[in-house]
Amino acid sequence: MRVIASTDEARRFSDEARRAGKIVGFVPTMGFLHEGHLSLVRASRRECGTTIVSIFVNPAQFAPDEDFDDYPRNFERDAKLLEAEGVDAIFAPKREEFYAEGFQTYVTVEDITRPLEGASRPTHFRGVTTVVAMLFNATRPDRAYFGGKDAQQAATISRMAADLKTGVDIVVMPIVRESDGLAMSSRNTYLSPEERNDALAISRALREAKAEIEAGERDAGNILARMRETIERSERANVDYVAAVERETFESVDTFRAGGRYYLLVACRVGKTRLIDNEPISIPG
Ligand code: PAF
């Protein structure tokens, strides 16, 4: 497994693989890998001849009051995990090289990024789309794999990849959960045992909401009110938002219609930790 720090070398590595007839798969991460990341790596390994994983904690997607400095990092552990998965290369650029002095160019996706995460974290998506575009330029992948937990991020990146004619196929993989339902996240390490227990209300609320919709409930307002109630029964959980949106556009909906494809979404602070989770919903036509 190669460990690459320079953008030029990443390009050469990818170009050589493609010249050898391989499909290049790419998994962008901020490191501190868990089973959710490894599910993306495994999908890339199944579908592509070469897999590159980036590890880069991207300063541009954190607001000044967010957890950039505290974000968990452990490169050696990550490298061991990736080697064991048979990854071909890690791309781990240095911050000073990647965001060189004088950097002032940003990629902005408009409508999808306005509500929800975009409203709570106004500079977040611009940081994500910018770094993902830069990572695509460095690793020149044919396919890139993203986790379904960050549903608005995945929809935003799919839009950007199509709009900018990147030629990269965006693959969004299902959320990986702990056995008790908690969606896997590098930020789960911040939770105390009591907070972790309270955080289970998030996935429980989503599960119950899905069951109610499957049983025939079509009023999004009723569903969201019950989700909020379920979560706020937990002492340490404070809901930032609960939402029901169209799957592709992220426009909010009042009613679930036959044939519709939606997300139920939650963002919630448990203690000081902000967690997000979602459940894709498909209504039979
Ligand atoms: O989902 C993440 O870990 C990050 O937002 C990403 C896509 C690696 C960009 O920094």
Side-chain angles (χ1 to χ4, degrees):
M1 184 178 70
R2 286 258 291 274
V3 177
I4 299 173
S6 104
T7 300
D8 287 344
E9 196 186 335
R11 257 187 220 134
R12 276 198 301 277
F13 184 85
S14 172
D15 291 350
E16 268 165 34
R18 208 176 349 270
R19 265 200 301 280
K22 293 179 174 165
I23 293 175
V24 177
F26 175 51
V27 182
T29 82
M30 298 205 298
F32 213 72
L33 305 177
H34 51 66
E35 276 300 310
H37 298 111
L38 297 183
S39 76
L40 310 182
V41 170
R42 286 172 198 146
S44 175
R45 292 267 298 125
R46 270 195 311 275
E47 297 172 5
C48 306
T50 292
T51 293
I52 306 174
V53 177
S54 66
I55 297 181
F56 182 64
V57 184
N58 171 34
Q61 69 190 74
F62 292 79
D65 61 339
E66 291 181 348
D67 56 345
F68 174 75
D69 289 333
D70 298 335
Y71 196 83
R73 293 161 171 89
N74 190 337
F75 184 83
E76 270 177 29
R77 174 182 164 275
D78 289 345
K80 276 200 194 116
L81 287 170
L82 295 175
E83 179 125 56
E85 294 294 333
V87 162
D88 299 281
I90 296 177
F91 177 48
K94 296 269 166 294
R95 178 179 177 174
E96 312 74 56
E97 189 240 356
F98 219 40
Y99 287 104
E101 219 186 308
F103 187 95
Q104 54 185 288
T105 305
Y106 292 90
V107 178
T108 307
V109 176
E110 306 250 318
D111 296 347
I112 299 175
T113 66
R114 282 200 189 98
L116 306 171
E117 287 304 287
S120 295
R121 307 176 70 192
T123 55
H124 172 67
F125 282 122
R126 163 183 117 140
V128 171
T129 41
T130 301
V131 83
V132 170
M134 290 158 70
L135 291 166
F136 283 179
N137 285 336
T139 60
R140 295 185 169 155
D142 298 294
R143 276 187 208 151
Y145 295 81
F146 292 86
K149 183 170 71 68
D150 298 293
Q152 195 175 4
Q153 164 174 286
T156 299
I157 289 167
S158 301
R159 187 74 258 168
M160 175 193 80
D163 288 351
L164 297 185
K165 313 285 184 280
T166 58
V168 181
D169 276 345
I170 305 299
V171 183
V172 183
M173 300 293 293
I175 296 178
V176 178
R177 296 183 182 280
E178 306 280 0
S179 56
D180 56 11
L182 185 68
M184 289 206 182
S185 164
S186 305
R187 289 190 170 100
N188 290 349
T189 53
Y190 299 153
L191 299 168
S192 69
E194 296 75 22
E195 288 169 347
R196 197 190 172 292
N197 194 46
D198 279 6
L200 296 179
I202 301 171
S203 53
R204 189 165 60 245
L206 286 163
R207 260 195 326 274
E208 287 171 5
K210 185 175 187 202
E212 285 173 29
I213 295 169
E214 282 170 358
E217 175 67 86
R218 292 292 177 263
D219 186 305
N222 290 343
I223 291 283
L224 297 178
R226 283 194 287 267
M227 282 171 61
R228 185 178 278 275
E229 229 177 83
T230 301
I231 297 169
E232 290 192 333
R233 247 181 265 133
S234 289
E235 191 189 327
R236 296 164 193 85
N238 281 304
V239 172
D240 182 353
Y241 61 75
V242 288
V245 302
E246 297 276 358
R247 192 95 62 96
E248 265 81 41
T249 62
F250 269 72
E251 281 164 18
S252 67
V253 295
D254 299 328
T255 309
F256 302 109
R257 301 198 183 284
R261 284 157 43 85
Y262 307 98
Y263 279 118
L264 296 173
L265 301 146
V266 180
C268 183
R269 248 171 229 292
V270 184
K272 288 202 172 100
T273 307
R274 189 168 182 282
L275 300 174
I276 59 173
D277 198 352
N278 71 76
E279 186 67 52
I281 302 288
S282 298
I283 309 290

PDB file of all heavy atoms in Angstrom, residues 27-31 37 54 56-58 61 71 124 127-129 131-132 135 146-147 150 153 157, ligand 1:
ATOM      1  N   VAL A  27     -12.293   6.621  -1.948  1.00  0.00           N
ATOM      2  CA  VAL A  27     -13.075   6.789  -0.709  1.00  0.00           C
ATOM      3  C   VAL A  27     -12.477   7.967   0.064  1.00  0.00           C
ATOM      4  O   VAL A  27     -11.409   7.832   0.674  1.00  0.00           O
ATOM      5  CB  VAL A  27     -13.046   5.507   0.156  1.00  0.00           C
ATOM      6  CG1 VAL A  27     -13.897   5.694   1.416  1.00  0.00           C
ATOM      7  CG2 VAL A  27     -13.516   4.295  -0.635  1.00  0.00           C
ATOM      8  N   PRO A  28     -13.150   9.137   0.029  1.00  0.00           N
ATOM      9  CA  PRO A  28     -12.632  10.273   0.813  1.00  0.00           C
ATOM     10  C   PRO A  28     -13.046  10.140   2.275  1.00  0.00           C
ATOM     11  O   PRO A  28     -14.207   9.837   2.565  1.00  0.00           O
ATOM     12  CB  PRO A  28     -13.320  11.494   0.173  1.00  0.00           C
ATOM     13  CG  PRO A  28     -14.477  10.966  -0.595  1.00  0.00           C
ATOM     14  CD  PRO A  28     -14.345   9.484  -0.756  1.00  0.00           C
ATOM     15  N   THR A  29     -12.089  10.359   3.178  1.00  0.00           N
ATOM     16  CA  THR A  29     -12.415  10.290   4.614  1.00  0.00           C
ATOM     17  C   THR A  29     -11.636  11.367   5.367  1.00  0.00           C
ATOM     18  O   THR A  29     -10.691  11.934   4.835  1.00  0.00           O
ATOM     19  CB  THR A  29     -12.020   8.926   5.262  1.00  0.00           C
ATOM     20  OG1 THR A  29     -10.618   8.947   5.586  1.00  0.00           O
ATOM     21  CG2 THR A  29     -12.331   7.745   4.381  1.00  0.00           C
ATOM     22  N   MET A  30     -12.064  11.582   6.603  1.00  0.00           N
ATOM     23  CA  MET A  30     -11.275  12.435   7.492  1.00  0.00           C
ATOM     24  C   MET A  30     -10.569  11.568   8.528  1.00  0.00           C
ATOM     25  O   MET A  30     -10.145  12.058   9.574  1.00  0.00           O
ATOM     26  CB  MET A  30     -12.171  13.478   8.158  1.00  0.00           C
ATOM     27  CG  MET A  30     -12.809  14.412   7.118  1.00  0.00           C
ATOM     28  SD  MET A  30     -13.278  16.021   7.735  1.00  0.00           S
ATOM     29  CE  MET A  30     -14.479  15.589   8.968  1.00  0.00           C
ATOM     30  N   GLY A  31     -10.433  10.266   8.227  1.00  0.00           N
ATOM     31  CA  GLY A  31      -9.705   9.372   9.122  1.00  0.00           C
ATOM     32  C   GLY A  31     -10.513   8.956  10.335  1.00  0.00           C
ATOM     33  O   GLY A  31     -11.732   9.102  10.373  1.00  0.00           O
ATOM     34  N   HIS A  37     -16.809   3.538   7.295  1.00  0.00           N
ATOM     35  CA  HIS A  37     -15.806   3.818   6.259  1.00  0.00           C
ATOM     36  C   HIS A  37     -15.380   2.522   5.570  1.00  0.00           C
ATOM     37  O   HIS A  37     -15.219   2.478   4.352  1.00  0.00           O
ATOM     38  CB  HIS A  37     -14.545   4.435   6.877  1.00  0.00           C
ATOM     39  CG  HIS A  37     -14.759   5.755   7.551  1.00  0.00           C
ATOM     40  ND1 HIS A  37     -14.665   5.914   8.908  1.00  0.00           N
ATOM     41  CD2 HIS A  37     -15.044   6.974   7.035  1.00  0.00           C
ATOM     42  CE1 HIS A  37     -14.872   7.182   9.224  1.00  0.00           C
ATOM     43  NE2 HIS A  37     -15.115   7.848   8.111  1.00  0.00           N
ATOM     44  N   SER A  54      -8.540   8.684   0.818  1.00  0.00           N
ATOM     45  CA  SER A  54      -7.879   9.888   1.332  1.00  0.00           C
ATOM     46  C   SER A  54      -8.167  10.038   2.820  1.00  0.00           C
ATOM     47  O   SER A  54      -9.253   9.676   3.297  1.00  0.00           O
ATOM     48  CB  SER A  54      -8.310  11.150   0.578  1.00  0.00           C
ATOM     49  OG  SER A  54      -9.667  11.413   0.820  1.00  0.00           O
ATOM     50  N   PHE A  56      -7.857  13.189   5.335  1.00  0.00           N
ATOM     51  CA  PHE A  56      -7.541  14.622   5.426  1.00  0.00           C
ATOM     52  C   PHE A  56      -8.635  15.292   6.244  1.00  0.00           C
ATOM     53  O   PHE A  56      -9.803  15.299   5.845  1.00  0.00           O
ATOM     54  CB  PHE A  56      -7.489  15.237   4.011  1.00  0.00           C
ATOM     55  CG  PHE A  56      -7.130  16.700   4.012  1.00  0.00           C
ATOM     56  CD1 PHE A  56      -5.883  17.129   4.453  1.00  0.00           C
ATOM     57  CD2 PHE A  56      -8.043  17.653   3.554  1.00  0.00           C
ATOM     58  CE1 PHE A  56      -5.550  18.490   4.455  1.00  0.00           C
ATOM     59  CE2 PHE A  56      -7.719  19.014   3.547  1.00  0.00           C
ATOM     60  CZ  PHE A  56      -6.471  19.425   3.996  1.00  0.00           C
ATOM     61  N   VAL A  57      -8.277  15.795   7.412  1.00  0.00           N
ATOM     62  CA  VAL A  57      -9.260  16.533   8.223  1.00  0.00           C
ATOM     63  C   VAL A  57      -9.294  17.939   7.638  1.00  0.00           C
ATOM     64  O   VAL A  57      -8.328  18.698   7.756  1.00  0.00           O
ATOM     65  CB  VAL A  57      -8.877  16.520   9.725  1.00  0.00           C
ATOM     66  CG1 VAL A  57      -9.977  17.216  10.539  1.00  0.00           C
ATOM     67  CG2 VAL A  57      -8.693  15.090  10.226  1.00  0.00           C
ATOM     68  N   ASN A  58     -10.406  18.234   6.991  1.00  0.00           N
ATOM     69  CA  ASN A  58     -10.502  19.404   6.116  1.00  0.00           C
ATOM     70  C   ASN A  58     -10.892  20.654   6.900  1.00  0.00           C
ATOM     71  O   ASN A  58     -12.062  20.799   7.279  1.00  0.00           O
ATOM     72  CB  ASN A  58     -11.554  19.096   5.047  1.00  0.00           C
ATOM     73  CG  ASN A  58     -11.908  20.302   4.211  1.00  0.00           C
ATOM     74  OD1 ASN A  58     -11.053  21.147   3.943  1.00  0.00           O
ATOM     75  ND2 ASN A  58     -13.176  20.387   3.806  1.00  0.00           N
ATOM     76  N   GLN A  61     -14.265  22.847   6.251  1.00  0.00           N
ATOM     77  CA  GLN A  61     -15.658  22.484   6.534  1.00  0.00           C
ATOM     78  C   GLN A  61     -16.016  22.622   8.007  1.00  0.00           C
ATOM     79  O   GLN A  61     -17.118  22.256   8.409  1.00  0.00           O
ATOM     80  CB  GLN A  61     -15.962  21.087   6.001  1.00  0.00           C
ATOM     81  CG  GLN A  61     -15.285  19.928   6.704  1.00  0.00           C
ATOM     82  CD  GLN A  61     -15.468  18.629   5.943  1.00  0.00           C
ATOM     83  OE1 GLN A  61     -14.851  18.397   4.916  1.00  0.00           O
ATOM     84  NE2 GLN A  61     -16.350  17.760   6.429  1.00  0.00           N
ATOM     85  N   TYR A  71     -10.952  17.024  16.606  1.00  0.00           N
ATOM     86  CA  TYR A  71     -11.454  15.914  15.792  1.00  0.00           C
ATOM     87  C   TYR A  71     -10.495  14.732  15.939  1.00  0.00           C
ATOM     88  O   TYR A  71      -9.278  14.894  15.820  1.00  0.00           O
ATOM     89  CB  TYR A  71     -11.565  16.335  14.318  1.00  0.00           C
ATOM     90  CG  TYR A  71     -12.433  15.380  13.533  1.00  0.00           C
ATOM     91  CD1 TYR A  71     -13.812  15.502  13.536  1.00  0.00           C
ATOM     92  CD2 TYR A  71     -11.861  14.324  12.830  1.00  0.00           C
ATOM     93  CE1 TYR A  71     -14.617  14.604  12.856  1.00  0.00           C
ATOM     94  CE2 TYR A  71     -12.652  13.424  12.140  1.00  0.00           C
ATOM     95  CZ  TYR A  71     -14.029  13.571  12.159  1.00  0.00           C
ATOM     96  OH  TYR A  71     -14.807  12.667  11.487  1.00  0.00           O
ATOM     97  N   HIS A 124     -20.300  25.090   6.089  1.00  0.00           N
ATOM     98  CA  HIS A 124     -19.877  23.680   6.065  1.00  0.00           C
ATOM     99  C   HIS A 124     -19.833  23.099   4.647  1.00  0.00           C
ATOM    100  O   HIS A 124     -18.811  22.564   4.209  1.00  0.00           O
ATOM    101  CB  HIS A 124     -20.820  22.871   6.958  1.00  0.00           C
ATOM    102  CG  HIS A 124     -20.619  21.402   6.881  1.00  0.00           C
ATOM    103  ND1 HIS A 124     -19.472  20.793   7.353  1.00  0.00           N
ATOM    104  CD2 HIS A 124     -21.392  20.401   6.363  1.00  0.00           C
ATOM    105  CE1 HIS A 124     -19.560  19.488   7.143  1.00  0.00           C
ATOM    106  NE2 HIS A 124     -20.705  19.226   6.535  1.00  0.00           N
ATOM    107  N   GLY A 127     -17.153  24.139   2.250  1.00  0.00           N
ATOM    108  CA  GLY A 127     -15.878  23.497   2.582  1.00  0.00           C
ATOM    109  C   GLY A 127     -15.814  22.069   2.077  1.00  0.00           C
ATOM    110  O   GLY A 127     -14.792  21.613   1.574  1.00  0.00           O
ATOM    111  N   VAL A 128     -16.959  21.361   2.200  1.00  0.00           N
ATOM    112  CA  VAL A 128     -16.992  19.958   1.753  1.00  0.00           C
ATOM    113  C   VAL A 128     -16.864  19.885   0.235  1.00  0.00           C
ATOM    114  O   VAL A 128     -16.033  19.136  -0.302  1.00  0.00           O
ATOM    115  CB  VAL A 128     -18.306  19.268   2.212  1.00  0.00           C
ATOM    116  CG1 VAL A 128     -18.445  17.899   1.556  1.00  0.00           C
ATOM    117  CG2 VAL A 128     -18.360  19.138   3.723  1.00  0.00           C
ATOM    118  N   THR A 129     -17.691  20.656  -0.480  1.00  0.00           N
ATOM    119  CA  THR A 129     -17.674  20.538  -1.952  1.00  0.00           C
ATOM    120  C   THR A 129     -16.324  21.002  -2.502  1.00  0.00           C
ATOM    121  O   THR A 129     -15.821  20.417  -3.468  1.00  0.00           O
ATOM    122  CB  THR A 129     -18.832  21.349  -2.597  1.00  0.00           C
ATOM    123  OG1 THR A 129     -18.962  22.595  -1.915  1.00  0.00           O
ATOM    124  CG2 THR A 129     -20.124  20.595  -2.511  1.00  0.00           C
ATOM    125  N   VAL A 131     -13.327  20.797  -0.998  1.00  0.00           N
ATOM    126  CA  VAL A 131     -12.266  19.804  -0.792  1.00  0.00           C
ATOM    127  C   VAL A 131     -12.526  18.555  -1.631  1.00  0.00           C
ATOM    128  O   VAL A 131     -11.588  17.945  -2.149  1.00  0.00           O
ATOM    129  CB  VAL A 131     -12.073  19.460   0.709  1.00  0.00           C
ATOM    130  CG1 VAL A 131     -13.060  18.413   1.197  1.00  0.00           C
ATOM    131  CG2 VAL A 131     -10.657  18.996   0.959  1.00  0.00           C
ATOM    132  N   VAL A 132     -13.803  18.176  -1.791  1.00  0.00           N
ATOM    133  CA  VAL A 132     -14.080  16.974  -2.598  1.00  0.00           C
ATOM    134  C   VAL A 132     -13.692  17.227  -4.059  1.00  0.00           C
ATOM    135  O   VAL A 132     -13.097  16.363  -4.707  1.00  0.00           O
ATOM    136  CB  VAL A 132     -15.547  16.517  -2.442  1.00  0.00           C
ATOM    137  CG1 VAL A 132     -15.906  15.430  -3.449  1.00  0.00           C
ATOM    138  CG2 VAL A 132     -15.788  15.996  -1.027  1.00  0.00           C
ATOM    139  N   LEU A 135     -10.011  16.921  -4.115  1.00  0.00           N
ATOM    140  CA  LEU A 135      -9.602  15.509  -3.984  1.00  0.00           C
ATOM    141  C   LEU A 135      -9.859  14.754  -5.287  1.00  0.00           C
ATOM    142  O   LEU A 135      -9.059  13.902  -5.694  1.00  0.00           O
ATOM    143  CB  LEU A 135     -10.340  14.851  -2.814  1.00  0.00           C
ATOM    144  CG  LEU A 135      -9.936  15.332  -1.414  1.00  0.00           C
ATOM    145  CD1 LEU A 135     -10.954  14.889  -0.373  1.00  0.00           C
ATOM    146  CD2 LEU A 135      -8.541  14.824  -1.042  1.00  0.00           C
ATOM    147  N   PHE A 146     -19.480   7.356  -0.847  1.00  0.00           N
ATOM    148  CA  PHE A 146     -19.833   8.218   0.295  1.00  0.00           C
ATOM    149  C   PHE A 146     -20.826   7.491   1.191  1.00  0.00           C
ATOM    150  O   PHE A 146     -21.648   6.689   0.714  1.00  0.00           O
ATOM    151  CB  PHE A 146     -20.457   9.529  -0.203  1.00  0.00           C
ATOM    152  CG  PHE A 146     -19.460  10.389  -0.927  1.00  0.00           C
ATOM    153  CD1 PHE A 146     -19.220  10.209  -2.282  1.00  0.00           C
ATOM    154  CD2 PHE A 146     -18.727  11.355  -0.252  1.00  0.00           C
ATOM    155  CE1 PHE A 146     -18.276  10.979  -2.951  1.00  0.00           C
ATOM    156  CE2 PHE A 146     -17.778  12.129  -0.908  1.00  0.00           C
ATOM    157  CZ  PHE A 146     -17.557  11.945  -2.260  1.00  0.00           C
ATOM    158  N   GLY A 147     -20.781   7.814   2.486  1.00  0.00           N
ATOM    159  CA  GLY A 147     -21.685   7.171   3.448  1.00  0.00           C
ATOM    160  C   GLY A 147     -23.055   7.837   3.446  1.00  0.00           C
ATOM    161  O   GLY A 147     -23.167   9.055   3.309  1.00  0.00           O
ATOM    162  N   ASP A 150     -24.454  10.946   6.081  1.00  0.00           N
ATOM    163  CA  ASP A 150     -24.434  12.362   5.705  1.00  0.00           C
ATOM    164  C   ASP A 150     -25.251  12.525   4.426  1.00  0.00           C
ATOM    165  O   ASP A 150     -24.697  12.768   3.344  1.00  0.00           O
ATOM    166  CB  ASP A 150     -22.988  12.827   5.499  1.00  0.00           C
ATOM    167  CG  ASP A 150     -22.193  12.701   6.779  1.00  0.00           C
ATOM    168  OD1 ASP A 150     -22.497  13.428   7.732  1.00  0.00           O
ATOM    169  OD2 ASP A 150     -21.299  11.841   6.837  1.00  0.00           O
ATOM    170  N   GLN A 153     -25.015  15.800   2.514  1.00  0.00           N
ATOM    171  CA  GLN A 153     -23.690  15.876   1.882  1.00  0.00           C
ATOM    172  C   GLN A 153     -23.665  15.013   0.611  1.00  0.00           C
ATOM    173  O   GLN A 153     -23.165  15.447  -0.437  1.00  0.00           O
ATOM    174  CB  GLN A 153     -22.618  15.378   2.861  1.00  0.00           C
ATOM    175  CG  GLN A 153     -21.288  15.053   2.201  1.00  0.00           C
ATOM    176  CD  GLN A 153     -20.196  14.698   3.189  1.00  0.00           C
ATOM    177  OE1 GLN A 153     -19.681  15.584   3.858  1.00  0.00           O
ATOM    178  NE2 GLN A 153     -19.825  13.428   3.286  1.00  0.00           N
ATOM    179  N   ILE A 157     -22.974  16.404  -3.094  1.00  0.00           N
ATOM    180  CA  ILE A 157     -21.824  15.968  -3.901  1.00  0.00           C
ATOM    181  C   ILE A 157     -22.300  15.341  -5.213  1.00  0.00           C
ATOM    182  O   ILE A 157     -21.681  15.552  -6.268  1.00  0.00           O
ATOM    183  CB  ILE A 157     -20.926  15.025  -3.076  1.00  0.00           C
ATOM    184  CG1 ILE A 157     -20.210  15.862  -2.011  1.00  0.00           C
ATOM    185  CG2 ILE A 157     -19.918  14.291  -3.951  1.00  0.00           C
ATOM    186  CD1 ILE A 157     -19.542  15.087  -0.931  1.00  0.00           C
TER     187      ILE A 157
HETATM  188  O1  PAF B   1     -17.735  12.831   5.086  1.00  0.00           O
HETATM  189  C1  PAF B   1     -16.568  13.194   5.362  1.00  0.00           C
HETATM  190  O2  PAF B   1     -15.824  12.513   6.082  1.00  0.00           O
HETATM  191  C2  PAF B   1     -16.052  14.516   4.797  1.00  0.00           C
HETATM  192  O3  PAF B   1     -17.062  15.469   4.741  1.00  0.00           O
HETATM  193  C3  PAF B   1     -15.379  14.353   3.413  1.00  0.00           C
HETATM  194  C4  PAF B   1     -16.355  13.882   2.360  1.00  0.00           C
HETATM  195  C5  PAF B   1     -14.217  13.370   3.527  1.00  0.00           C
HETATM  196  C6  PAF B   1     -14.819  15.704   2.970  1.00  0.00           C
HETATM  197  O4  PAF B   1     -13.871  16.196   3.859  1.00  0.00           O
END
